[in-house]
């Protein structure tokens, strides 16, 4: 059983910074691509950033230059450092991972429970 447990998030003023982390727990698996998505009230969930096991990254245009995704493969953990935050960054942020295991073929996708980020103006 694989679980993604997020931490961080909270309330911050516009222009401030905040960090999120997401640790994959369990045994007998290896996370490949990991990423962060977000969902604002009344909107669809959208991709924020992704990172491969080799640390190649992708960012949505809306966060490029302000957010940084990173990972620690030894800890099965992905991070999202957010700076120059804007009120429109307010959303529930979800961690995502494609997980490889000998117990199944290919990658299975797992999601974290979500963590609220609120940016006040």
């Amino acid at each position: 059983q694989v679980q993604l447990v997020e931490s961080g998030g909270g309330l911050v003023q516009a222009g401030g910074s905040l960090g999120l982390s997401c640790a994959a727990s369990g045994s007998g698996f290896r996370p490949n691509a990991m990423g962060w998505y977000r969902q604002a009230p009344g909107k669809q969930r959208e991709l924020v950033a992704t990172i491969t096991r080799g640390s190649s990254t992708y960012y949505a245009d809306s966060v490029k230059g302000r957010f940084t995704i990173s990972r620690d493969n030894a800890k099965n953990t992905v991070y999202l450092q957010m700076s120059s935050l804007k009120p429109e960054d307010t959303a529930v942020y979800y961690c995502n991972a494609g997980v490889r295991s000998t117990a199944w073929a290919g990658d299975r996708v797992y999601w974290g429970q979500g963590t609220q980020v609120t940016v006040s103006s």
Side-chain angles (χ1 to χ4, degrees):
Q1 182 74 7
V2 178
Q3 283 190 317
L4 300 182
V5 180
E6 299 158 356
S7 59
L11 175 64
V12 64
Q13 287 189 331
S17 299
L18 208 56
L20 306 179
S21 64
C22 171
S25 64
S27 62
F29 70 93
R30 186 189 75 175
N32 284 331
M34 303 183 80
W36 292 93
Y37 289 70
R38 66 187 182 187
Q39 186 166 19
K43 294 188 176 182
Q44 289 189 327
R45 190 173 297 188
E46 63 175 4
L47 173 66
V48 175
T50 63
I51 185 167
T52 67
R53 191 165 182 84
S55 294
S56 295
T57 58
Y58 168 85
Y59 295 93
D61 287 343
S62 58
V63 306
K64 209 171 287 185
R66 300 187 299 121
F67 289 12
T68 301
I69 189 170
S70 61
R71 67 189 287 169
D72 184 334
N73 289 334
K75 296 181 179 179
N76 289 332
T77 300
V78 62
Y79 306 94
L80 186 69
Q81 182 62 39
M82 304 179 288
S83 60
S84 301
L85 282 160
K86 305 174 182 179
E88 50 263 44
D89 294 318
T90 296
V92 178
Y93 283 70
Y94 296 91
C95 168
N96 163 283
V99 176
R100 180 68 56 88
S101 171
T102 56
W104 57 76
D107 285 2
R108 283 188 181 177
V109 177
Y110 288 85
W111 291 89
Q113 78 283 3
T115 185
Q116 178 69 45
V117 172
T118 302
V119 184
S120 63
S121 56

